Amino acid sequence: MQQLVQRRRRDGLVARTAERELFRRNFDTPPEDEEHRFLFHVHGNAGVGKTFLLRDFERIARERGALTAYVDESAHSVPEVLAELCRQVAAQGHRFKELDRLLATHRERLHEAEAAALAALDPEPAGGPSAGSMAVARAGLAGLGLIPGAGAFAGVLDPVHVAQGADRLRAVLGARFRSHEDVQLVLSPESVLTPVLTKEITDAASSVPWIVLFFDTYERTGAFLDGWLHDVMTTDRHGALPATVVVVTAGRHPLDTAHWGGFGDFTAALPLQPFTEGETRGLLADRGVTAEPVVTEVLRLTGGLPVLVSTLAATRPAGPDDVHDPSATAVDRFLKWEPDPVRRSAALAGALPRLLDADVFRAVADGDPEQLDELYGWLTTLPFADERAGRLRYHDVVRAPMLRLQRRRSPRGWAERQRRLADRFRAWREEAETGRDAGRLWADEEWRELRLAESYHLLCAGDREAPSMVLRDLVDVCDQGESVAGRWLDVLEEAGRDAELRTVTAWGRQLSRALADGGTEAVLDRLLTDSGFGAVVVDALGSTNVTRPPGGPAGWGTPVPGAARERHAEERRVADRDAEDRDAEGPYAAGPGRGVALAPGTAARVYRGRAVSRAVRGDYRAALTDLDRALTLTPDDARSRALRGEYLRILRRHDDAVRDLERAVALDPAHDYAWASLGATRLALGDPAAALAALDRALALTPDYPWALIRRARVRRELGESEGRLADLDRAVTLQPDSPWAHCERGDALRAAGRDEEALAAYDRALGLDPGYASAYASRGVTRFHLGRPADALADLDRALELNPSYAWARAQRDEVVRHRDG
């Protein structure tokens, strides 16, 4: 009885009646009927009730006996979506057993691939411990999409290098995994998993009348789901899909016409607008809110936005209580209708963090722990607090006025609570750092999230050091790729909006545009050369509080060109128009001579970061220019000095390289990278004894340093130490068993020792890992000639010259083989 009563009450609501009726009627329309719809797409701005409607659709589908699954933005890839589908259908008594098994295998194989890929794709011998030493590996990963932020590398590498790297990685995976299916589960998981999904759905369709799949927050998930879903629903590429499957998507934007423009006859678009006055009144009346002054106030404050209407209706206000107070805001009205002042305070405190869990709530709210746990439990029941992955997120249309209320009512209280949260996140971050290698923290997503939260709250608190900290961090995260850098820029925009810091918001917007236009290198360029922060040029050398170094290279501190100044001025005007009319004065306010400029140390880090990006794509001369600028600002920075020395070595300016590398190790005697590069440079200058001493020092600092071991093996070759040479290469191969360079060098050592059969096996291994390795072909050709196989030798040497026509040593060896054959 109670269920029927509740159903009739829901069905009697005027809000979204047409959409709900259309969806319900679809189950009464056979799939063969032209009126039947296979895809529903709900779209509209934030707060219009898309998720609420999808949940109501799910209830309607289950009442019709449908097997359902609901996925939102917590899934970040097609395999993660499929895993969530498996979990939810299992909870309803159906098992997608084969798909579950393949998903488990996919996770295992992907982990193996990620762990092996960087080690598997060493550079050619001309590389080294420089920024370019892993360029080929990262190119391969970028080509296959196997690393976060791969787009950053794809943007700075030559497309040919990316393709070659991807081909090498395919060869690595082909040699490493047991079957073609395992390789495809890493390289193209959808091609293996989707046909199994369609079969599982077909099997399930025999026992249920309908299967309905819901995909919420499609503005985020559509990036990887839209093309895949289109293929599944409109082609037979992955197998037949039962006609009793219905798909429902929901996002802020209409469906992409590039995919769905020609399929309007089987889709239904459901654009949602704010409630009409009639719908709002109907919802309020259903909740017992009928007093006209109260209804009028709700209409005025919410503008019909469903999330606000539902929130206010749920409180069942008995009277307006001075509803005509002109200073009242939507948040005032919402909070005054909550009679418990403790709960009111808790609701406001919970709005301060971007994401909320019980630990974060205890850090920001006042009260004893037991009371705080009870209050947090209450927060989870609020209509505007959406729980995702164990954390709460206030809906933006509710959170924004709550933040404004607290900031304007008590600026000092606002700042104190923001600092309290920043301190808590800093403590958690430092706890996460304990016993960890500081150089690897930026690759740790959990650590980055703590750092982001700390930065956000410091900015909101008005901490004067926060902008420079965030910019310094941005330089470091650029090394992690575009997606991670984008998260930092999002924080700039969010903090600027939430704390009404127009300058900070402008920074985030302008740098985000740079990231979209040119990747992380464009962001670094902008930090160095553009005004883009709402007021003044932030080039450290051209700012008002940093002195231009005497004798610096031409162009340093050059003003931004007039066109750029005009463009950025217009961007500032647009940002100002977007912002509310408010006082711009504050800790980050900007004006002539007042902007935040990059300090010399920060600017040096930006130049160094851009140098690395340029070196990755092979532009070592441009990289040296950036390092010159960095070293003018911070001449005692060992890392920049070592990079400069390595790039000079690669450009064969060996005497200059030695000066920089000796300076680097003098500044930091524990710099293993600089010692290794110095050893390689000393060998190029014909001083094997000095080279050996430098490489010994590098390996004493870091015994498991494969690049240094291989370089020391080359030194030992010059010194005639054949046993030591092989020992170093054996160790290098053990450390990097999938490195083609290590196997090729070891083959050379075995061939020099007269162990041609073993050398041949080493070359075969190198070429199995990298089929495009010219040096390995040439060396294998010589070995095959020694073994009495001249035809095979010529084939290998021809292949080496095809890959590298200017390979003089290979051409000389080929001439020798031909003379022997013809003589």
Side-chain angles (χ1 to χ4, degrees), residues 521-551:
E521 186 173 341
V523 171
L524 297 171
D525 285 342
R526 189 127 190 188
L527 286 174
L528 288 166
T529 61
D530 252 341
S531 59
F533 293 90
V536 296
V537 180
V538 296
D539 185 335
L541 301 175
S543 65
T544 57
N545 56 354
V546 179
T547 304
R548 176 175 175 172

Side-chain angles (χ1 to χ4, degrees), residues 697-755:
R697 185 67 178 271
L699 287 162
L701 292 165
T702 308
D704 294 340
Y705 193 167
W707 191 89
L709 285 165
I710 296 172
R711 289 292 175 177
R712 189 170 70 176
R714 289 187 169 191
V715 173
R716 286 178 163 167
R717 176 189 63 192
E718 297 299 314
L719 295 173
E721 299 177 4
S722 58
E723 291 186 7
R725 177 187 182 189
L726 266 173
D728 279 346
L729 292 169
D730 287 343
R731 177 63 178 156
V733 167
T734 300
L735 291 169
Q736 288 189 337
D738 295 330
S739 166
W741 182 36
H743 285 287
C744 187
E745 291 283 334
R746 184 171 178 272
D748 290 345
L750 291 166
R751 176 166 54 84
R755 296 159 61 177

Side-chain angles (χ1 to χ4, degrees), residues 13 26 43 90-91 117 128 230 243 267 284 329 399 429 479 489 576 592 623 637 649 714 728 778 795 808:
L13 291 178
N26 199 58
H43 64 93
H230 178 269
T267 64
L284 291 172
T329 65
R399 181 171 179 257
R429 172 180 60 81
D479 291 341
L489 299 179
D576 288 346
D637 178 30
R649 181 192 72 81
R714 289 187 169 191
D728 279 346

Side-chain angles (χ1 to χ4, degrees), residues 117 140-141 148 201 314 405 524 656 747:
L141 292 168
I201 288 178
L405 174 71
L524 297 171
D656 294 334

Side-chain angles (χ1 to χ4, degrees), residues 203-244:
D203 292 342
S206 65
S207 59
V208 294
W210 299 96
I211 297 175
V212 187
L213 306 178
F214 297 88
F215 300 100
D216 202 356
T217 329
Y218 207 64
E219 67 271 12
R220 297 187 181 181
T221 60
F224 61 85
L225 273 180
D226 204 45
W228 173 80
L229 193 59
H230 178 269
D231 280 350
V232 171
M233 296 186 70
T234 66
T235 75
D236 59 358
R237 187 173 305 161
H238 303 291
L241 199 66
T244 54

Side-chain angles (χ1 to χ4, degrees), residues 445-493:
E445 183 177 0
E446 180 181 358
W447 181 89
R448 290 199 308 262
E449 287 301 313
L450 294 171
R451 182 70 166 183
L452 272 172
E454 177 188 356
S455 301
Y456 168 83
H457 291 296
L458 284 173
L459 287 167
C460 287
D463 185 287
R464 292 189 176 274
E465 298 300 319
S468 59
M469 182 187 85
V470 174
L471 294 180
R472 286 196 303 269
D473 286 355
L474 179 59
V475 175
D476 289 326
V477 300
C478 279
D479 291 341
Q480 302 300 317
E482 291 182 16
S483 63
V484 181
R487 298 293 304 279
W488 251 256
L489 299 179
D490 288 345
V491 160
L492 281 174
E493 290 196 55

